[in-house]
Amino acid sequence: MRLFANRDYRRLFSAQIIALFGTGLATVALGLLAYDLAGPGAGAVLGTALTVKMVMYVAIAPIAAAYVDRFPRRTLLTLLDAVRAVVVLALPFVTEVWHIYLLVGLLQAASAAFTPTFQAVIPDIVTEESDYVRALSASQVASTMESLLSPVLAAVALAFLSFDRLFLGTSAGFLLSALLVLSTRIPEARPSAHTRAWDKATAGIRTFLRTPRLRGIMALNLAVAAAGSIVVVSTVNYVRDELGGSQSAVAWMLAASGSGTLLAALALPRVLDRVTARTVMVTGAGVLVGGTAAAVTLVAAGLTTWTGTAIVWALIGIGMALVITPTGKVLRASVEPNAVPGVFAAQFSLSHLAWLITYPIAGWLGSDAGFAAAWSTLAALAGAGAIGALLLWPRHDGRGAATGPVAPIGAGRSAADRSTLSKAA
């Protein structure tokens, strides 16, 4: 494939895969650590830890985007990977719940600066539109492979090791990712269109608020977060307490969701060549609504079976991939090149703002009122997100095209650029 003939992209992609697998192992280990410290209250502990994560993402990502063009991006990414490696090494030694919150806060502060910077680097390395679309799909496949395979690896490892050893795998992954980033030629960031830090930090969010298709993505973020929170937060307590499963069973159930995501991500590149991003993403929101409704039915009707749960988890995984995979394509086509870091950072913050709403519902309400109450609330939010997307992202998108292509904001592009971008979504 021509995309992987690009040396710098190949190394960055490898760094992403390695760091993702390390993070996946840590996600499984963090859930089991919460269960080890809090037992039946693990959902609330995990929900709080993930809420801390979301606060860091929402607050720090726009600031990172505002200052990213002032620092060498390769050096910044390498240092952030190193910080994450050191912080993760401390997690096996926690003895109090508040230790988890502190370390997760430090870890995710580094991740909040790393991810939008990394995302904004890719279009500077992969400059052909067709290759960039495939790079987005490859990135999603990597994420879904992590969600599928890292729980499987964790399940196998847990048969021989205690869960705290999984944190060592995470730290090693971040260090290897840092070495790969350091060996990559990364162009310096384009000067921002804004000079003041506040304008840079808020430019992407302002773009979202004034652009119909991006407002639609904000609604879709809510649907993804509502459904995803059921899987991420509730799986450990649901599998251990309701299904009577083991630590390894928790990992296998998370892998069921990842398998659905993987199948969808593998099929999407060809689909997106024929179908608009809006159609794919709205369809994904409908799948998420169906998945959350099925999850509510499982607990409300007492149908808590292994097979039924695995099917529902896989359905949610499919819906998440349908929404998330085309998002980068739409973002890039919506702004001028020098505004790409800002809009990616805004999406990073706004999407995690949705998770900031849904994680506490899954964790705290689930622990206090039970799965049925929490999941019913999340299903309602998923439905609201799907309906909001339909209303906020019109088919014509204000550009007069029935299929809803994405046209760039601003008039500074050449006719060739406008032609290319009009096909992007």
Side-chain angles (χ1 to χ4, degrees), residues 333-413:
S334 297
V335 295
E336 301 292 340
N338 63 355
V340 166
V343 79
F344 269 90
Q347 165 61 7
F348 188 75
S349 289
L350 292 171
S351 63
H352 288 92
L353 179 60
W355 291 92
L356 180 56
I357 296 169
T358 60
Y359 273 152
I361 293 172
W364 301 341
L365 185 59
S367 293
D368 292 341
F371 293 127
W375 295 1
S376 295
T377 304
L378 292 169
L381 289 176
I387 293 170
L390 287 170
L391 297 176
L392 293 171
W393 189 350
R395 277 187 168 278
H396 293 269
D397 202 13
R399 306 288 176 175
T403 55
V406 174
I409 295 173
R413 296 187 184 273

Side-chain angles (χ1 to χ4, degrees), residues 32 46 64 71 73 78 100 130 139 166 187 218 262 295 354 381 414:
L32 296 172
L46 191 56
F71 301 98
R73 292 192 290 184
T78 302
I100 294 179
S130 59
S139 181
L166 298 181
M218 290 171 62
L262 176 63
L381 289 176
S414 69

Side-chain angles (χ1 to χ4, degrees), residues 137 140-141 144 259-275 280 318 321-322 325:
S137 295
Q140 182 60 35
V141 168
T144 55
S259 65
T261 309
L262 176 63
L263 291 174
L266 289 174
L268 276 175
R270 291 186 178 182
V271 173
L272 288 169
D273 287 338
R274 304 182 184 90
V275 182
V280 171
I318 290 170
L322 292 176
T325 302

Side-chain angles (χ1 to χ4, degrees), residues 207-218:
T207 300
F208 265 80
L209 294 177
R210 70 171 180 261
T211 310
R213 56 184 171 273
L214 299 186
R215 291 199 297 268
I217 287 178
M218 290 171 62

Side-chain angles (χ1 to χ4, degrees), residues 58 64 98 101 125 141 158 171 195 197 246 254 298 376 378 423:
V58 171
W98 70 267
Y101 304 151
I125 291 176
V141 168
L158 288 168
S171 182
T195 56
S246 64
L254 291 171
L298 284 178
S376 295
L378 292 169
K423 300 175 184 176

Side-chain angles (χ1 to χ4, degrees), residues 233-260:
V233 177
S234 301
T235 297
V236 62
N237 272 120
Y238 184 76
V239 170
R240 297 300 301 273
D241 298 334
E242 297 293 325
L243 296 176
S246 64
Q247 291 183 353
S248 294
V250 173
W252 285 113
M253 192 58 71
L254 291 171
S257 178
S259 65

Side-chain angles (χ1 to χ4, degrees), residues 1-14 17 126 131 134-135 137-139 141-142:
M1 183 186 293
R2 183 177 61 179
L3 176 62
F4 289 98
N6 184 323
R7 167 190 175 274
D8 295 316
Y9 172 76
R10 188 171 62 248
R11 293 193 177 187
L12 275 182
F13 184 68
S14 298
I17 289 177
V126 182
D131 285 345
R134 282 160 176 75
S137 295
S139 181
V141 168

